[in-house]
Amino acid sequence: MTQGYNKNPDDQTQTKPDLLETLTDENICQENSDSVIISIEVSAGKKKEIFPDGYNPWRKAFGIAVKAPPVEGKANKAIIKLISKYFSIPSNSVTIISGQTSSVKKVKICGITRHQIIELINDS
């Protein structure tokens, strides 16, 4: 499995890891009987809302960009809204389970499987 940036010794270029390959890593995508827990790294106060916004191999987290500022839970609410919209599930199916005041969070997504996440990311 590819992790981090790979350097090709022949041409000295770097390539980013494939997002689909990262989903096999238990640290970024843990599947339970009724949910999936993913790791995200948040950039708040951005001009555009984007999910997934790349992958950080050091933090083993998907990137997510939201317009809301990181004050009074506004960014967390925007994260839940954006993830639920992306996966076409109700907002109450998405819960931030750790990192409420951190830029790195664990998010529990109910009613979806790792396989469905792979399909959605592959289609985007």
Side-chain angles (χ1 to χ4, degrees):
M1 182 168 91
T2 304
Q3 288 294 325
Y5 288 92
N6 293 329
K7 227 176 198 186
N8 182 333
D10 295 332
D11 63 10
Q12 297 296 306
T13 61
Q14 293 182 340
T15 58
K16 287 186 179 180
D18 186 350
L19 279 178
L20 297 177
E21 288 180 21
T22 65
L23 290 172
T24 60
D25 187 333
E26 285 295 320
N27 290 317
I28 189 172
C29 189
Q30 303 164 359
E31 187 166 21
N32 300 316
S33 60
D34 65 339
S35 64
V36 173
I37 297 173
I38 62 170
S39 299
I40 61 169
E41 182 178 27
V42 182
S43 295
K46 296 296 183 177
K47 290 183 179 184
K48 287 186 173 185
E49 295 196 330
I50 304 168
F51 178 76
D53 188 19
Y55 172 69
N56 183 326
W58 295 276
R59 294 188 185 223
K60 296 189 176 195
F62 288 109
I64 184 169
V66 293
K67 291 180 181 178
V71 293
E72 300 174 358
K74 291 179 182 180
N76 288 345
K77 289 176 186 173
I79 290 164
I80 290 169
K81 184 178 176 183
L82 183 57
I83 291 175
S84 65
K85 181 179 175 184
Y86 181 81
F87 291 116
S88 300
I89 56 175
S91 295
N92 63 359
S93 296
V94 180
T95 307
I96 297 172
I97 59 173
S98 70
Q100 280 77 7
T101 59
S102 172
S103 64
V104 179
K105 305 175 186 297
K106 293 271 187 186
V107 178
K108 181 178 179 181
I109 307 169
C110 295
I112 197 163
T113 65
R114 182 185 303 185
H115 179 73
Q116 290 170 308
I117 292 174
I118 291 170
E119 285 180 356
L120 286 168
I121 291 175
N122 193 31
D123 290 343
S124 62

PDB file of all heavy atoms in Angstrom, residues 1-33:
ATOM      1  N   MET A   1       0.831  -1.172   0.000  1.00  0.00           N
ATOM      2  CA  MET A   1       0.000   0.000   0.000  1.00  0.00           C
ATOM      3  C   MET A   1       0.880   1.241   0.000  1.00  0.00           C
ATOM      4  O   MET A   1       1.877   1.308   0.670  1.00  0.00           O
ATOM      5  CB  MET A   1      -0.883  -0.018   1.237  1.00  0.00           C
ATOM      6  CG  MET A   1      -1.801   1.151   1.256  1.00  0.00           C
ATOM      7  SD  MET A   1      -3.060   0.978   2.497  1.00  0.00           S
ATOM      8  CE  MET A   1      -2.238   1.769   3.839  1.00  0.00           C
ATOM      9  N   THR A   2       0.455   2.231  -0.722  1.00  0.00           N
ATOM     10  CA  THR A   2       1.209   3.467  -0.840  1.00  0.00           C
ATOM     11  C   THR A   2       0.841   4.392   0.305  1.00  0.00           C
ATOM     12  O   THR A   2      -0.313   4.644   0.558  1.00  0.00           O
ATOM     13  CB  THR A   2       0.866   4.148  -2.176  1.00  0.00           C
ATOM     14  OG1 THR A   2       1.114   3.241  -3.213  1.00  0.00           O
ATOM     15  CG2 THR A   2       1.694   5.389  -2.365  1.00  0.00           C
ATOM     16  N   GLN A   3       1.828   4.921   0.987  1.00  0.00           N
ATOM     17  CA  GLN A   3       1.620   5.914   2.032  1.00  0.00           C
ATOM     18  C   GLN A   3       2.573   7.065   1.788  1.00  0.00           C
ATOM     19  O   GLN A   3       3.729   6.849   1.498  1.00  0.00           O
ATOM     20  CB  GLN A   3       1.878   5.330   3.425  1.00  0.00           C
ATOM     21  CG  GLN A   3       0.821   4.368   3.876  1.00  0.00           C
ATOM     22  CD  GLN A   3      -0.511   5.061   4.085  1.00  0.00           C
ATOM     23  OE1 GLN A   3      -0.587   6.198   4.511  1.00  0.00           O
ATOM     24  NE2 GLN A   3      -1.570   4.376   3.759  1.00  0.00           N
ATOM     25  N   GLY A   4       2.102   8.266   1.936  1.00  0.00           N
ATOM     26  CA  GLY A   4       2.971   9.423   1.760  1.00  0.00           C
ATOM     27  C   GLY A   4       3.294   9.666   0.303  1.00  0.00           C
ATOM     28  O   GLY A   4       2.670   9.123  -0.594  1.00  0.00           O
ATOM     29  N   TYR A   5       4.294  10.490   0.092  1.00  0.00           N
ATOM     30  CA  TYR A   5       4.725  10.780  -1.265  1.00  0.00           C
ATOM     31  C   TYR A   5       5.758   9.746  -1.676  1.00  0.00           C
ATOM     32  O   TYR A   5       6.663   9.417  -0.929  1.00  0.00           O
ATOM     33  CB  TYR A   5       5.338  12.182  -1.348  1.00  0.00           C
ATOM     34  CG  TYR A   5       4.311  13.261  -1.241  1.00  0.00           C
ATOM     35  CD1 TYR A   5       3.976  13.817  -0.021  1.00  0.00           C
ATOM     36  CD2 TYR A   5       3.650  13.711  -2.366  1.00  0.00           C
ATOM     37  CE1 TYR A   5       3.031  14.802   0.082  1.00  0.00           C
ATOM     38  CE2 TYR A   5       2.703  14.704  -2.268  1.00  0.00           C
ATOM     39  CZ  TYR A   5       2.401  15.242  -1.045  1.00  0.00           C
ATOM     40  OH  TYR A   5       1.457  16.217  -0.954  1.00  0.00           O
ATOM     41  N   ASN A   6       5.610   9.242  -2.884  1.00  0.00           N
ATOM     42  CA  ASN A   6       6.563   8.269  -3.402  1.00  0.00           C
ATOM     43  C   ASN A   6       7.507   8.969  -4.360  1.00  0.00           C
ATOM     44  O   ASN A   6       7.072   9.695  -5.236  1.00  0.00           O
ATOM     45  CB  ASN A   6       5.835   7.152  -4.162  1.00  0.00           C
ATOM     46  CG  ASN A   6       4.995   6.315  -3.242  1.00  0.00           C
ATOM     47  OD1 ASN A   6       5.335   6.146  -2.078  1.00  0.00           O
ATOM     48  ND2 ASN A   6       3.901   5.807  -3.756  1.00  0.00           N
ATOM     49  N   LYS A   7       8.750   8.720  -4.199  1.00  0.00           N
ATOM     50  CA  LYS A   7       9.733   9.306  -5.089  1.00  0.00           C
ATOM     51  C   LYS A   7      10.143   8.258  -6.114  1.00  0.00           C
ATOM     52  O   LYS A   7      10.519   7.152  -5.764  1.00  0.00           O
ATOM     53  CB  LYS A   7      10.957   9.755  -4.296  1.00  0.00           C
ATOM     54  CG  LYS A   7      11.392  11.123  -4.662  1.00  0.00           C
ATOM     55  CD  LYS A   7      12.518  11.583  -3.808  1.00  0.00           C
ATOM     56  CE  LYS A   7      12.566  13.082  -3.940  1.00  0.00           C
ATOM     57  NZ  LYS A   7      13.658  13.664  -3.288  1.00  0.00           N
ATOM     58  N   ASN A   8      10.040   8.617  -7.349  1.00  0.00           N
ATOM     59  CA  ASN A   8      10.476   7.743  -8.418  1.00  0.00           C
ATOM     60  C   ASN A   8      11.968   7.993  -8.606  1.00  0.00           C
ATOM     61  O   ASN A   8      12.370   9.085  -8.994  1.00  0.00           O
ATOM     62  CB  ASN A   8       9.692   8.067  -9.702  1.00  0.00           C
ATOM     63  CG  ASN A   8      10.060   7.157 -10.836  1.00  0.00           C
ATOM     64  OD1 ASN A   8      11.173   6.631 -10.901  1.00  0.00           O
ATOM     65  ND2 ASN A   8       9.130   6.973 -11.754  1.00  0.00           N
ATOM     66  N   PRO A   9      12.837   6.995  -8.339  1.00  0.00           N
ATOM     67  CA  PRO A   9      14.276   7.232  -8.416  1.00  0.00           C
ATOM     68  C   PRO A   9      14.760   7.555  -9.829  1.00  0.00           C
ATOM     69  O   PRO A   9      15.799   8.173  -9.998  1.00  0.00           O
ATOM     70  CB  PRO A   9      14.889   5.924  -7.914  1.00  0.00           C
ATOM     71  CG  PRO A   9      13.807   4.921  -7.977  1.00  0.00           C
ATOM     72  CD  PRO A   9      12.502   5.648  -7.936  1.00  0.00           C
ATOM     73  N   ASP A  10      13.993   7.167 -10.843  1.00  0.00           N
ATOM     74  CA  ASP A  10      14.416   7.409 -12.223  1.00  0.00           C
ATOM     75  C   ASP A  10      14.286   8.880 -12.624  1.00  0.00           C
ATOM     76  O   ASP A  10      15.162   9.442 -13.252  1.00  0.00           O
ATOM     77  CB  ASP A  10      13.624   6.542 -13.202  1.00  0.00           C
ATOM     78  CG  ASP A  10      13.905   5.066 -13.004  1.00  0.00           C
ATOM     79  OD1 ASP A  10      15.023   4.739 -12.539  1.00  0.00           O
ATOM     80  OD2 ASP A  10      13.019   4.260 -13.296  1.00  0.00           O
ATOM     81  N   ASP A  11      13.143   9.494 -12.271  1.00  0.00           N
ATOM     82  CA  ASP A  11      12.960  10.872 -12.716  1.00  0.00           C
ATOM     83  C   ASP A  11      12.862  11.880 -11.574  1.00  0.00           C
ATOM     84  O   ASP A  11      12.667  13.058 -11.806  1.00  0.00           O
ATOM     85  CB  ASP A  11      11.739  10.993 -13.639  1.00  0.00           C
ATOM     86  CG  ASP A  11      10.444  10.636 -12.947  1.00  0.00           C
ATOM     87  OD1 ASP A  11      10.426  10.480 -11.715  1.00  0.00           O
ATOM     88  OD2 ASP A  11       9.419  10.533 -13.648  1.00  0.00           O
ATOM     89  N   GLN A  12      12.997  11.430 -10.336  1.00  0.00           N
ATOM     90  CA  GLN A  12      13.012  12.300  -9.165  1.00  0.00           C
ATOM     91  C   GLN A  12      11.732  13.134  -9.008  1.00  0.00           C
ATOM     92  O   GLN A  12      11.767  14.211  -8.451  1.00  0.00           O
ATOM     93  CB  GLN A  12      14.242  13.230  -9.195  1.00  0.00           C
ATOM     94  CG  GLN A  12      15.560  12.494  -9.137  1.00  0.00           C
ATOM     95  CD  GLN A  12      15.720  11.745  -7.821  1.00  0.00           C
ATOM     96  OE1 GLN A  12      15.594  12.318  -6.774  1.00  0.00           O
ATOM     97  NE2 GLN A  12      15.980  10.460  -7.892  1.00  0.00           N
ATOM     98  N   THR A  13      10.597  12.629  -9.510  1.00  0.00           N
ATOM     99  CA  THR A  13       9.331  13.323  -9.302  1.00  0.00           C
ATOM    100  C   THR A  13       8.597  12.673  -8.138  1.00  0.00           C
ATOM    101  O   THR A  13       8.845  11.528  -7.804  1.00  0.00           O
ATOM    102  CB  THR A  13       8.436  13.275 -10.558  1.00  0.00           C
ATOM    103  OG1 THR A  13       8.148  11.921 -10.867  1.00  0.00           O
ATOM    104  CG2 THR A  13       9.107  13.957 -11.722  1.00  0.00           C
ATOM    105  N   GLN A  14       7.678  13.437  -7.536  1.00  0.00           N
ATOM    106  CA  GLN A  14       6.896  12.911  -6.435  1.00  0.00           C
ATOM    107  C   GLN A  14       5.452  12.756  -6.878  1.00  0.00           C
ATOM    108  O   GLN A  14       4.941  13.570  -7.637  1.00  0.00           O
ATOM    109  CB  GLN A  14       6.961  13.852  -5.232  1.00  0.00           C
ATOM    110  CG  GLN A  14       8.332  13.933  -4.625  1.00  0.00           C
ATOM    111  CD  GLN A  14       8.332  14.831  -3.405  1.00  0.00           C
ATOM    112  OE1 GLN A  14       7.450  15.651  -3.210  1.00  0.00           O
ATOM    113  NE2 GLN A  14       9.340  14.668  -2.578  1.00  0.00           N
ATOM    114  N   THR A  15       4.805  11.711  -6.399  1.00  0.00           N
ATOM    115  CA  THR A  15       3.398  11.500  -6.696  1.00  0.00           C
ATOM    116  C   THR A  15       2.641  11.358  -5.386  1.00  0.00           C
ATOM    117  O   THR A  15       3.145  10.801  -4.420  1.00  0.00           O
ATOM    118  CB  THR A  15       3.187  10.238  -7.552  1.00  0.00           C
ATOM    119  OG1 THR A  15       3.731   9.120  -6.856  1.00  0.00           O
ATOM    120  CG2 THR A  15       3.857  10.374  -8.902  1.00  0.00           C
ATOM    121  N   LYS A  16       1.423  11.882  -5.361  1.00  0.00           N
ATOM    122  CA  LYS A  16       0.584  11.766  -4.174  1.00  0.00           C
ATOM    123  C   LYS A  16      -0.013  10.364  -4.124  1.00  0.00           C
ATOM    124  O   LYS A  16      -0.261   9.753  -5.155  1.00  0.00           O
ATOM    125  CB  LYS A  16      -0.549  12.786  -4.227  1.00  0.00           C
ATOM    126  CG  LYS A  16      -0.096  14.196  -3.983  1.00  0.00           C
ATOM    127  CD  LYS A  16      -1.280  15.108  -3.906  1.00  0.00           C
ATOM    128  CE  LYS A  16      -0.850  16.532  -3.640  1.00  0.00           C
ATOM    129  NZ  LYS A  16      -1.989  17.433  -3.574  1.00  0.00           N
ATOM    130  N   PRO A  17      -0.325   9.869  -2.917  1.00  0.00           N
ATOM    131  CA  PRO A  17      -0.965   8.566  -2.804  1.00  0.00           C
ATOM    132  C   PRO A  17      -2.386   8.622  -3.350  1.00  0.00           C
ATOM    133  O   PRO A  17      -3.040   9.660  -3.293  1.00  0.00           O
ATOM    134  CB  PRO A  17      -0.958   8.292  -1.306  1.00  0.00           C
ATOM    135  CG  PRO A  17      -0.890   9.638  -0.681  1.00  0.00           C
ATOM    136  CD  PRO A  17      -0.098  10.493  -1.636  1.00  0.00           C
ATOM    137  N   ASP A  18      -2.868   7.515  -3.857  1.00  0.00           N
ATOM    138  CA  ASP A  18      -4.220   7.408  -4.355  1.00  0.00           C
ATOM    139  C   ASP A  18      -5.180   7.422  -3.167  1.00  0.00           C
ATOM    140  O   ASP A  18      -5.007   6.667  -2.216  1.00  0.00           O
ATOM    141  CB  ASP A  18      -4.350   6.092  -5.136  1.00  0.00           C
ATOM    142  CG  ASP A  18      -5.677   5.935  -5.821  1.00  0.00           C
ATOM    143  OD1 ASP A  18      -6.592   6.735  -5.562  1.00  0.00           O
ATOM    144  OD2 ASP A  18      -5.805   4.996  -6.614  1.00  0.00           O
ATOM    145  N   LEU A  19      -6.200   8.281  -3.206  1.00  0.00           N
ATOM    146  CA  LEU A  19      -7.156   8.346  -2.106  1.00  0.00           C
ATOM    147  C   LEU A  19      -7.830   7.001  -1.874  1.00  0.00           C
ATOM    148  O   LEU A  19      -8.109   6.630  -0.748  1.00  0.00           O
ATOM    149  CB  LEU A  19      -8.221   9.405  -2.392  1.00  0.00           C
ATOM    150  CG  LEU A  19      -7.864  10.847  -2.104  1.00  0.00           C
ATOM    151  CD1 LEU A  19      -9.015  11.766  -2.490  1.00  0.00           C
ATOM    152  CD2 LEU A  19      -7.506  11.054  -0.660  1.00  0.00           C
ATOM    153  N   LEU A  20      -8.096   6.262  -2.928  1.00  0.00           N
ATOM    154  CA  LEU A  20      -8.753   4.973  -2.768  1.00  0.00           C
ATOM    155  C   LEU A  20      -7.870   3.986  -2.015  1.00  0.00           C
ATOM    156  O   LEU A  20      -8.357   3.190  -1.219  1.00  0.00           O
ATOM    157  CB  LEU A  20      -9.139   4.395  -4.136  1.00  0.00           C
ATOM    158  CG  LEU A  20     -10.141   5.222  -4.920  1.00  0.00           C
ATOM    159  CD1 LEU A  20     -10.391   4.607  -6.284  1.00  0.00           C
ATOM    160  CD2 LEU A  20     -11.439   5.358  -4.160  1.00  0.00           C
ATOM    161  N   GLU A  21      -6.574   4.043  -2.232  1.00  0.00           N
ATOM    162  CA  GLU A  21      -5.667   3.145  -1.520  1.00  0.00           C
ATOM    163  C   GLU A  21      -5.672   3.440  -0.031  1.00  0.00           C
ATOM    164  O   GLU A  21      -5.505   2.539   0.782  1.00  0.00           O
ATOM    165  CB  GLU A  21      -4.241   3.287  -2.056  1.00  0.00           C
ATOM    166  CG  GLU A  21      -4.037   2.691  -3.422  1.00  0.00           C
ATOM    167  CD  GLU A  21      -2.609   2.856  -3.890  1.00  0.00           C
ATOM    168  OE1 GLU A  21      -1.714   3.047  -3.054  1.00  0.00           O
ATOM    169  OE2 GLU A  21      -2.390   2.777  -5.098  1.00  0.00           O
ATOM    170  N   THR A  22      -5.870   4.684   0.346  1.00  0.00           N
ATOM    171  CA  THR A  22      -5.821   5.048   1.757  1.00  0.00           C
ATOM    172  C   THR A  22      -6.978   4.452   2.542  1.00  0.00           C
ATOM    173  O   THR A  22      -6.886   4.285   3.754  1.00  0.00           O
ATOM    174  CB  THR A  22      -5.838   6.569   1.946  1.00  0.00           C
ATOM    175  OG1 THR A  22      -7.077   7.094   1.504  1.00  0.00           O
ATOM    176  CG2 THR A  22      -4.688   7.220   1.219  1.00  0.00           C
ATOM    177  N   LEU A  23      -8.074   4.124   1.887  1.00  0.00           N
ATOM    178  CA  LEU A  23      -9.240   3.615   2.591  1.00  0.00           C
ATOM    179  C   LEU A  23      -9.027   2.223   3.173  1.00  0.00           C
ATOM    180  O   LEU A  23      -9.809   1.767   3.989  1.00  0.00           O
ATOM    181  CB  LEU A  23     -10.461   3.623   1.671  1.00  0.00           C
ATOM    182  CG  LEU A  23     -10.964   5.011   1.354  1.00  0.00           C
ATOM    183  CD1 LEU A  23     -12.040   4.959   0.283  1.00  0.00           C
ATOM    184  CD2 LEU A  23     -11.495   5.690   2.593  1.00  0.00           C
ATOM    185  N   THR A  24      -7.978   1.551   2.775  1.00  0.00           N
ATOM    186  CA  THR A  24      -7.688   0.245   3.364  1.00  0.00           C
ATOM    187  C   THR A  24      -6.928   0.395   4.669  1.00  0.00           C
ATOM    188  O   THR A  24      -6.769  -0.567   5.400  1.00  0.00           O
ATOM    189  CB  THR A  24      -6.864  -0.623   2.391  1.00  0.00           C
ATOM    190  OG1 THR A  24      -5.630   0.041   2.112  1.00  0.00           O
ATOM    191  CG2 THR A  24      -7.616  -0.882   1.106  1.00  0.00           C
ATOM    192  N   ASP A  25      -6.484   1.572   4.988  1.00  0.00           N
ATOM    193  CA  ASP A  25      -5.745   1.848   6.213  1.00  0.00           C
ATOM    194  C   ASP A  25      -6.737   2.019   7.363  1.00  0.00           C
ATOM    195  O   ASP A  25      -7.580   2.909   7.336  1.00  0.00           O
ATOM    196  CB  ASP A  25      -4.911   3.117   6.029  1.00  0.00           C
ATOM    197  CG  ASP A  25      -3.976   3.391   7.181  1.00  0.00           C
ATOM    198  OD1 ASP A  25      -4.285   2.963   8.310  1.00  0.00           O
ATOM    199  OD2 ASP A  25      -2.951   4.028   6.954  1.00  0.00           O
ATOM    200  N   GLU A  26      -6.624   1.185   8.388  1.00  0.00           N
ATOM    201  CA  GLU A  26      -7.531   1.249   9.534  1.00  0.00           C
ATOM    202  C   GLU A  26      -7.436   2.572  10.277  1.00  0.00           C
ATOM    203  O   GLU A  26      -8.357   2.959  10.984  1.00  0.00           O
ATOM    204  CB  GLU A  26      -7.256   0.092  10.498  1.00  0.00           C
ATOM    205  CG  GLU A  26      -7.769  -1.233   9.998  1.00  0.00           C
ATOM    206  CD  GLU A  26      -9.292  -1.288   9.890  1.00  0.00           C
ATOM    207  OE1 GLU A  26     -10.002  -0.768  10.773  1.00  0.00           O
ATOM    208  OE2 GLU A  26      -9.781  -1.858   8.900  1.00  0.00           O
ATOM    209  N   ASN A  27      -6.334   3.298  10.162  1.00  0.00           N
ATOM    210  CA  ASN A  27      -6.195   4.565  10.865  1.00  0.00           C
ATOM    211  C   ASN A  27      -7.038   5.672  10.243  1.00  0.00           C
ATOM    212  O   ASN A  27      -7.353   6.645  10.895  1.00  0.00           O
ATOM    213  CB  ASN A  27      -4.731   5.007  10.885  1.00  0.00           C
ATOM    214  CG  ASN A  27      -3.898   4.126  11.769  1.00  0.00           C
ATOM    215  OD1 ASN A  27      -4.314   3.763  12.858  1.00  0.00           O
ATOM    216  ND2 ASN A  27      -2.721   3.770  11.302  1.00  0.00           N
ATOM    217  N   ILE A  28      -7.389   5.545   8.976  1.00  0.00           N
ATOM    218  CA  ILE A  28      -8.172   6.595   8.330  1.00  0.00           C
ATOM    219  C   ILE A  28      -9.627   6.193   8.140  1.00  0.00           C
ATOM    220  O   ILE A  28     -10.508   7.031   8.108  1.00  0.00           O
ATOM    221  CB  ILE A  28      -7.561   7.019   6.976  1.00  0.00           C
ATOM    222  CG1 ILE A  28      -8.282   8.246   6.462  1.00  0.00           C
ATOM    223  CG2 ILE A  28      -7.588   5.911   5.972  1.00  0.00           C
ATOM    224  CD1 ILE A  28      -7.678   8.878   5.268  1.00  0.00           C
ATOM    225  N   CYS A  29      -9.898   4.911   8.057  1.00  0.00           N
ATOM    226  CA  CYS A  29     -11.262   4.470   7.778  1.00  0.00           C
ATOM    227  C   CYS A  29     -11.529   3.171   8.527  1.00  0.00           C
ATOM    228  O   CYS A  29     -11.156   2.105   8.073  1.00  0.00           O
ATOM    229  CB  CYS A  29     -11.431   4.286   6.269  1.00  0.00           C
ATOM    230  SG  CYS A  29     -13.122   3.983   5.767  1.00  0.00           S
ATOM    231  N   GLN A  30     -12.170   3.291   9.680  1.00  0.00           N
ATOM    232  CA  GLN A  30     -12.484   2.127  10.498  1.00  0.00           C
ATOM    233  C   GLN A  30     -13.954   1.773  10.304  1.00  0.00           C
ATOM    234  O   GLN A  30     -14.820   2.615  10.539  1.00  0.00           O
ATOM    235  CB  GLN A  30     -12.212   2.418  11.972  1.00  0.00           C
ATOM    236  CG  GLN A  30     -10.796   2.844  12.241  1.00  0.00           C
ATOM    237  CD  GLN A  30     -10.642   3.484  13.609  1.00  0.00           C
ATOM    238  OE1 GLN A  30     -11.579   3.633  14.365  1.00  0.00           O
ATOM    239  NE2 GLN A  30      -9.410   3.865  13.921  1.00  0.00           N
ATOM    240  N   GLU A  31     -14.213   0.543   9.914  1.00  0.00           N
ATOM    241  CA  GLU A  31     -15.592   0.131   9.683  1.00  0.00           C
ATOM    242  C   GLU A  31     -16.112  -0.642  10.883  1.00  0.00           C
ATOM    243  O   GLU A  31     -15.457  -1.551  11.383  1.00  0.00           O
ATOM    244  CB  GLU A  31     -15.696  -0.715   8.413  1.00  0.00           C
ATOM    245  CG  GLU A  31     -17.120  -1.027   8.022  1.00  0.00           C
ATOM    246  CD  GLU A  31     -17.239  -1.567   6.612  1.00  0.00           C
ATOM    247  OE1 GLU A  31     -16.247  -2.080   6.068  1.00  0.00           O
ATOM    248  OE2 GLU A  31     -18.337  -1.481   6.061  1.00  0.00           O
ATOM    249  N   ASN A  32     -17.291  -0.251  11.361  1.00  0.00           N
ATOM    250  CA  ASN A  32     -17.991  -0.943  12.435  1.00  0.00           C
ATOM    251  C   ASN A  32     -19.237  -1.592  11.846  1.00  0.00           C
ATOM    252  O   ASN A  32     -19.514  -1.449  10.658  1.00  0.00           O
ATOM    253  CB  ASN A  32     -18.369   0.045  13.543  1.00  0.00           C
ATOM    254  CG  ASN A  32     -17.152   0.725  14.136  1.00  0.00           C
ATOM    255  OD1 ASN A  32     -16.157   0.081  14.403  1.00  0.00           O
ATOM    256  ND2 ASN A  32     -17.238   2.031  14.338  1.00  0.00           N
ATOM    257  N   SER A  33     -20.019  -2.237  12.675  1.00  0.00           N
ATOM    258  CA  SER A  33     -21.214  -2.908  12.166  1.00  0.00           C
ATOM    259  C   SER A  33     -22.246  -1.944  11.600  1.00  0.00           C
ATOM    260  O   SER A  33     -22.955  -2.285  10.658  1.00  0.00           O
ATOM    261  CB  SER A  33     -21.851  -3.759  13.272  1.00  0.00           C
ATOM    262  OG  SER A  33     -22.219  -2.932  14.366  1.00  0.00           O
TER     263      SER A  33
END
